[in-house]
Short mmCIF file of all heavy atoms in Angstrom, two decimals:
data_model
loop_
_atom_site.label_atom_id
_atom_site.label_comp_id
_atom_site.label_asym_id
_atom_site.label_seq_id
_atom_site.Cartn_x
_atom_site.Cartn_y
_atom_site.Cartn_z
N LEU A 389 166.46 109.12 55.49
CA LEU A 389 165.46 108.10 55.81
C LEU A 389 165.13 108.11 57.29
O LEU A 389 163.96 108.00 57.68
CB LEU A 389 166.00 106.72 55.41
CG LEU A 389 165.04 105.54 55.64
CD1 LEU A 389 163.76 105.74 54.86
CD2 LEU A 389 165.72 104.23 55.24
N LEU A 390 166.15 108.27 58.14
CA LEU A 390 165.93 108.31 59.58
C LEU A 390 165.04 109.50 59.93
O LEU A 390 164.04 109.36 60.65
CB LEU A 390 167.26 108.42 60.32
CG LEU A 390 167.14 108.65 61.84
CD1 LEU A 390 166.57 107.42 62.52
CD2 LEU A 390 168.47 109.02 62.44
N VAL A 391 165.39 110.68 59.43
CA VAL A 391 164.65 111.89 59.76
C VAL A 391 163.21 111.79 59.24
O VAL A 391 162.25 112.14 59.93
CB VAL A 391 165.35 113.13 59.19
CG1 VAL A 391 164.49 114.37 59.39
CG2 VAL A 391 166.71 113.32 59.85
N PHE A 392 163.06 111.29 58.02
CA PHE A 392 161.72 111.14 57.44
C PHE A 392 160.88 110.16 58.25
O PHE A 392 159.69 110.38 58.49
CB PHE A 392 161.82 110.67 55.99
CG PHE A 392 160.49 110.49 55.32
CD1 PHE A 392 159.67 111.58 55.08
CD2 PHE A 392 160.05 109.23 54.94
CE1 PHE A 392 158.43 111.42 54.47
CE2 PHE A 392 158.82 109.07 54.33
CZ PHE A 392 158.01 110.16 54.09
N SER A 393 161.52 109.07 58.70
CA SER A 393 160.82 108.06 59.47
C SER A 393 160.34 108.62 60.80
O SER A 393 159.18 108.44 61.19
CB SER A 393 161.74 106.86 59.70
OG SER A 393 161.09 105.86 60.43
N VAL A 394 161.22 109.32 61.52
CA VAL A 394 160.84 109.92 62.80
C VAL A 394 159.75 110.97 62.59
O VAL A 394 158.78 111.05 63.35
CB VAL A 394 162.07 110.55 63.49
CG1 VAL A 394 161.65 111.30 64.75
CG2 VAL A 394 163.09 109.49 63.84
N THR A 395 159.88 111.76 61.53
CA THR A 395 158.90 112.79 61.23
C THR A 395 157.53 112.17 60.97
O THR A 395 156.51 112.66 61.47
CB THR A 395 159.34 113.60 59.99
OG1 THR A 395 160.60 114.21 60.27
CG2 THR A 395 158.32 114.67 59.65
N LEU A 396 157.50 111.10 60.20
CA LEU A 396 156.25 110.43 59.88
C LEU A 396 155.56 109.92 61.15
O LEU A 396 154.34 109.99 61.28
CB LEU A 396 156.50 109.27 58.92
CG LEU A 396 155.27 108.63 58.27
CD1 LEU A 396 154.52 109.66 57.42
CD2 LEU A 396 155.69 107.45 57.40
N HIS A 397 156.37 109.45 62.09
CA HIS A 397 155.79 108.95 63.33
C HIS A 397 155.28 110.08 64.23
O HIS A 397 154.56 109.82 65.20
CB HIS A 397 156.82 108.11 64.10
CG HIS A 397 156.98 106.73 63.55
ND1 HIS A 397 157.57 106.48 62.32
CD2 HIS A 397 156.63 105.52 64.04
CE1 HIS A 397 157.57 105.16 62.10
NE2 HIS A 397 157.01 104.57 63.13
N ASN A 398 155.64 111.32 63.94
CA ASN A 398 155.15 112.46 64.73
C ASN A 398 153.84 113.02 64.22
O ASN A 398 153.21 113.82 64.90
CB ASN A 398 156.20 113.58 64.74
CG ASN A 398 157.25 113.37 65.82
OD1 ASN A 398 157.16 112.44 66.61
ND2 ASN A 398 158.24 114.23 65.85
N ILE A 399 153.44 112.60 63.03
CA ILE A 399 152.18 113.12 62.47
C ILE A 399 150.98 112.83 63.36
O ILE A 399 150.17 113.73 63.61
CB ILE A 399 151.96 112.55 61.04
CG1 ILE A 399 152.99 113.16 60.08
CG2 ILE A 399 150.55 112.85 60.56
CD1 ILE A 399 152.93 112.61 58.67
N PRO A 400 150.82 111.60 63.89
CA PRO A 400 149.66 111.34 64.76
C PRO A 400 149.63 112.24 66.00
O PRO A 400 148.55 112.58 66.47
CB PRO A 400 149.83 109.87 65.16
CG PRO A 400 150.64 109.28 64.06
CD PRO A 400 151.58 110.36 63.64
N GLU A 401 150.79 112.63 66.51
CA GLU A 401 150.81 113.51 67.68
C GLU A 401 150.26 114.88 67.32
O GLU A 401 149.48 115.47 68.07
CB GLU A 401 152.24 113.62 68.22
CG GLU A 401 152.78 112.29 68.75
CD GLU A 401 154.24 112.39 69.15
OE1 GLU A 401 154.79 113.51 69.13
OE2 GLU A 401 154.84 111.35 69.46
N GLY A 402 150.69 115.41 66.16
CA GLY A 402 150.14 116.68 65.71
C GLY A 402 148.65 116.59 65.44
O GLY A 402 147.87 117.49 65.81
N LEU A 403 148.22 115.50 64.82
CA LEU A 403 146.79 115.30 64.56
C LEU A 403 145.99 115.25 65.86
O LEU A 403 144.90 115.81 65.95
CB LEU A 403 146.57 114.01 63.76
CG LEU A 403 146.96 114.03 62.29
CD1 LEU A 403 146.85 112.63 61.69
CD2 LEU A 403 146.09 115.01 61.51
N ALA A 404 146.56 114.57 66.87
CA ALA A 404 145.87 114.45 68.16
C ALA A 404 145.62 115.83 68.76
O ALA A 404 144.52 116.12 69.26
CB ALA A 404 146.69 113.58 69.11
N ILE A 405 146.63 116.67 68.73
CA ILE A 405 146.47 118.02 69.27
C ILE A 405 145.47 118.82 68.44
O ILE A 405 144.60 119.52 68.98
CB ILE A 405 147.84 118.75 69.33
CG1 ILE A 405 148.77 118.03 70.31
CG2 ILE A 405 147.65 120.21 69.73
CD1 ILE A 405 150.19 118.57 70.31
N GLY A 406 145.57 118.70 67.11
CA GLY A 406 144.64 119.41 66.25
C GLY A 406 143.20 119.00 66.47
O GLY A 406 142.30 119.84 66.55
N VAL A 407 142.98 117.70 66.62
CA VAL A 407 141.63 117.19 66.85
C VAL A 407 141.10 117.68 68.21
O VAL A 407 139.93 118.06 68.34
CB VAL A 407 141.62 115.65 66.79
CG1 VAL A 407 140.32 115.09 67.33
CG2 VAL A 407 141.83 115.18 65.35
N ALA A 408 141.97 117.66 69.23
CA ALA A 408 141.55 118.09 70.57
C ALA A 408 141.13 119.55 70.57
O ALA A 408 140.12 119.92 71.19
CB ALA A 408 142.68 117.85 71.57
N PHE A 409 141.90 120.41 69.90
CA PHE A 409 141.52 121.82 69.83
C PHE A 409 140.34 122.03 68.87
O PHE A 409 139.46 122.86 69.14
CB PHE A 409 142.72 122.67 69.39
CG PHE A 409 143.68 122.98 70.50
CD1 PHE A 409 144.90 122.34 70.58
CD2 PHE A 409 143.35 123.92 71.47
CE1 PHE A 409 145.79 122.62 71.61
CE2 PHE A 409 144.24 124.21 72.50
CZ PHE A 409 145.47 123.56 72.57
N GLY A 410 140.33 121.31 67.76
CA GLY A 410 139.23 121.45 66.81
C GLY A 410 137.89 121.08 67.43
O GLY A 410 136.85 121.65 67.07
N ALA A 411 137.91 120.15 68.37
CA ALA A 411 136.67 119.72 69.03
C ALA A 411 136.04 120.85 69.83
O ALA A 411 134.84 120.80 70.13
CB ALA A 411 136.96 118.53 69.94
N LEU A 412 136.82 121.88 70.16
CA LEU A 412 136.28 123.00 70.94
C LEU A 412 135.25 123.79 70.15
O LEU A 412 134.44 124.52 70.74
CB LEU A 412 137.43 123.93 71.37
CG LEU A 412 138.53 123.30 72.23
CD1 LEU A 412 139.61 124.33 72.54
CD2 LEU A 412 137.96 122.73 73.52
N ALA A 413 135.29 123.67 68.82
CA ALA A 413 134.32 124.38 67.99
C ALA A 413 132.95 123.70 68.01
O ALA A 413 131.97 124.26 67.51
CB ALA A 413 134.83 124.47 66.55
N SER A 414 132.89 122.50 68.57
CA SER A 414 131.62 121.77 68.64
C SER A 414 130.86 122.21 69.89
O SER A 414 131.36 122.97 70.72
CB SER A 414 131.88 120.27 68.69
OG SER A 414 132.46 119.89 69.94
N ASP A 415 129.66 121.67 70.05
CA ASP A 415 128.86 122.00 71.24
C ASP A 415 128.96 120.92 72.30
O ASP A 415 128.14 120.83 73.20
CB ASP A 415 127.40 122.21 70.84
CG ASP A 415 126.79 120.98 70.18
OD1 ASP A 415 127.54 120.04 69.86
OD2 ASP A 415 125.55 120.96 69.99
N PHE A 416 129.99 120.09 72.21
CA PHE A 416 130.18 119.02 73.18
C PHE A 416 130.91 119.58 74.41
O PHE A 416 132.03 120.08 74.30
CB PHE A 416 130.99 117.87 72.58
CG PHE A 416 130.28 117.14 71.48
CD1 PHE A 416 130.65 117.31 70.16
CD2 PHE A 416 129.22 116.29 71.77
CE1 PHE A 416 130.00 116.63 69.14
CE2 PHE A 416 128.56 115.62 70.76
CZ PHE A 416 128.95 115.79 69.43
N THR A 417 130.29 119.46 75.57
CA THR A 417 130.90 119.99 76.80
C THR A 417 132.11 119.16 77.23
O THR A 417 132.93 119.63 78.02
CB THR A 417 129.88 120.00 77.94
OG1 THR A 417 129.37 118.67 78.14
CG2 THR A 417 128.71 120.93 77.62
N SER A 418 132.22 117.93 76.71
CA SER A 418 133.34 117.08 77.11
C SER A 418 134.65 117.54 76.49
O SER A 418 135.73 117.14 76.94
CB SER A 418 133.07 115.63 76.70
OG SER A 418 132.78 115.54 75.31
N ALA A 419 134.57 118.36 75.44
CA ALA A 419 135.78 118.90 74.82
C ALA A 419 136.12 120.21 75.50
O ALA A 419 135.38 121.19 75.38
CB ALA A 419 135.56 119.11 73.33
N THR A 420 137.22 120.25 76.24
CA THR A 420 137.58 121.45 77.00
C THR A 420 138.92 122.00 76.56
O THR A 420 139.81 121.25 76.13
CB THR A 420 137.64 121.14 78.51
OG1 THR A 420 138.72 120.22 78.77
CG2 THR A 420 136.33 120.54 78.99
N LEU A 421 139.08 123.31 76.70
CA LEU A 421 140.34 123.96 76.38
C LEU A 421 141.44 123.44 77.30
O LEU A 421 142.57 123.21 76.87
CB LEU A 421 140.21 125.48 76.51
CG LEU A 421 141.47 126.30 76.25
CD1 LEU A 421 141.98 126.08 74.84
CD2 LEU A 421 141.22 127.78 76.51
N ALA A 422 141.11 123.24 78.57
CA ALA A 422 142.10 122.74 79.53
C ALA A 422 142.61 121.37 79.13
O ALA A 422 143.82 121.09 79.22
CB ALA A 422 141.48 122.69 80.93
N GLY A 423 141.71 120.51 78.66
CA GLY A 423 142.14 119.18 78.23
C GLY A 423 143.04 119.24 77.02
O GLY A 423 144.03 118.50 76.93
N ALA A 424 142.70 120.12 76.06
CA ALA A 424 143.53 120.26 74.86
C ALA A 424 144.91 120.81 75.21
O ALA A 424 145.94 120.36 74.67
CB ALA A 424 142.83 121.16 73.84
N ILE A 425 144.94 121.80 76.11
CA ILE A 425 146.22 122.37 76.54
C ILE A 425 147.06 121.32 77.27
O ILE A 425 148.27 121.20 77.05
CB ILE A 425 146.00 123.60 77.44
CG1 ILE A 425 145.42 124.76 76.62
CG2 ILE A 425 147.31 124.04 78.11
CD1 ILE A 425 145.05 125.97 77.45
N ALA A 426 146.42 120.54 78.13
CA ALA A 426 147.13 119.49 78.85
C ALA A 426 147.73 118.47 77.89
O ALA A 426 148.85 117.99 78.10
CB ALA A 426 146.18 118.80 79.84
N LEU A 427 146.98 118.15 76.83
CA LEU A 427 147.49 117.21 75.83
C LEU A 427 148.72 117.79 75.13
O LEU A 427 149.73 117.10 74.94
CB LEU A 427 146.40 116.91 74.80
CG LEU A 427 146.80 115.97 73.65
CD1 LEU A 427 147.19 114.60 74.18
CD2 LEU A 427 145.66 115.85 72.65
N ALA A 428 148.67 119.06 74.75
CA ALA A 428 149.82 119.70 74.10
C ALA A 428 151.02 119.75 75.04
O ALA A 428 152.16 119.51 74.62
CB ALA A 428 149.45 121.12 73.65
N LEU A 429 150.78 120.03 76.32
CA LEU A 429 151.87 120.02 77.29
C LEU A 429 152.50 118.64 77.40
O LEU A 429 153.73 118.50 77.44
CB LEU A 429 151.34 120.47 78.66
CG LEU A 429 151.01 121.95 78.84
CD1 LEU A 429 150.34 122.20 80.19
CD2 LEU A 429 152.28 122.80 78.73
N GLY A 430 151.64 117.63 77.46
CA GLY A 430 152.15 116.26 77.59
C GLY A 430 152.99 115.83 76.40
O GLY A 430 154.07 115.25 76.56
N ILE A 431 152.51 116.12 75.20
CA ILE A 431 153.26 115.75 74.00
C ILE A 431 154.54 116.58 73.90
O ILE A 431 155.58 116.08 73.46
CB ILE A 431 152.38 115.91 72.75
CG1 ILE A 431 151.27 114.85 72.77
CG2 ILE A 431 153.20 115.80 71.46
CD1 ILE A 431 150.30 114.93 71.61
N GLY A 432 154.48 117.84 74.34
CA GLY A 432 155.69 118.65 74.36
C GLY A 432 156.75 118.05 75.26
O GLY A 432 157.94 118.00 74.90
N ILE A 433 156.34 117.58 76.43
CA ILE A 433 157.28 116.92 77.35
C ILE A 433 157.89 115.69 76.68
O ILE A 433 159.09 115.43 76.79
CB ILE A 433 156.55 116.53 78.65
CG1 ILE A 433 156.14 117.78 79.43
CG2 ILE A 433 157.44 115.64 79.52
CD1 ILE A 433 155.21 117.51 80.59
N GLN A 434 157.06 114.95 75.97
CA GLN A 434 157.54 113.74 75.29
C GLN A 434 158.53 114.09 74.18
O GLN A 434 159.44 113.32 73.89
CB GLN A 434 156.34 112.98 74.72
CG GLN A 434 156.69 111.69 74.01
CD GLN A 434 156.83 111.87 72.50
OE1 GLN A 434 156.22 112.75 71.91
NE2 GLN A 434 157.62 111.03 71.87
N ASN A 435 158.37 115.25 73.57
CA ASN A 435 159.23 115.62 72.44
C ASN A 435 160.64 116.03 72.87
O ASN A 435 161.56 115.97 72.05
CB ASN A 435 158.59 116.77 71.66
CG ASN A 435 157.48 116.31 70.74
OD1 ASN A 435 157.14 115.13 70.71
ND2 ASN A 435 156.90 117.22 69.99
N PHE A 436 160.80 116.44 74.11
CA PHE A 436 162.13 116.85 74.56
C PHE A 436 163.15 115.71 74.47
O PHE A 436 164.19 115.86 73.81
CB PHE A 436 162.06 117.41 75.99
CG PHE A 436 163.40 117.85 76.53
CD1 PHE A 436 163.88 119.11 76.25
CD2 PHE A 436 164.18 117.00 77.29
CE1 PHE A 436 165.12 119.52 76.74
CE2 PHE A 436 165.41 117.38 77.78
CZ PHE A 436 165.89 118.66 77.50
N PRO A 437 162.89 114.56 75.11
CA PRO A 437 163.87 113.47 74.97
C PRO A 437 163.99 112.95 73.54
O PRO A 437 165.04 112.42 73.16
CB PRO A 437 163.34 112.38 75.92
CG PRO A 437 161.91 112.69 76.10
CD PRO A 437 161.80 114.18 76.01
#
Side-chain angles (χ1 to χ4, degrees):
L389 182 59
L390 173 68
V391 174
F392 180 66
S393 180
V394 174
T395 300
L396 191 62
H397 281 70
N398 276 355
I399 291 176
E401 296 174 7
L403 286 173
I405 295 173
V407 167
F409 279 105
L412 301 178
S414 70
D415 59 350
F416 293 106
T417 57
S418 55
T420 66
L421 178 61
I425 291 175
L427 178 62
L429 287 173
I431 291 178
I433 292 170
Q434 181 265 332
N435 281 3
F436 180 85

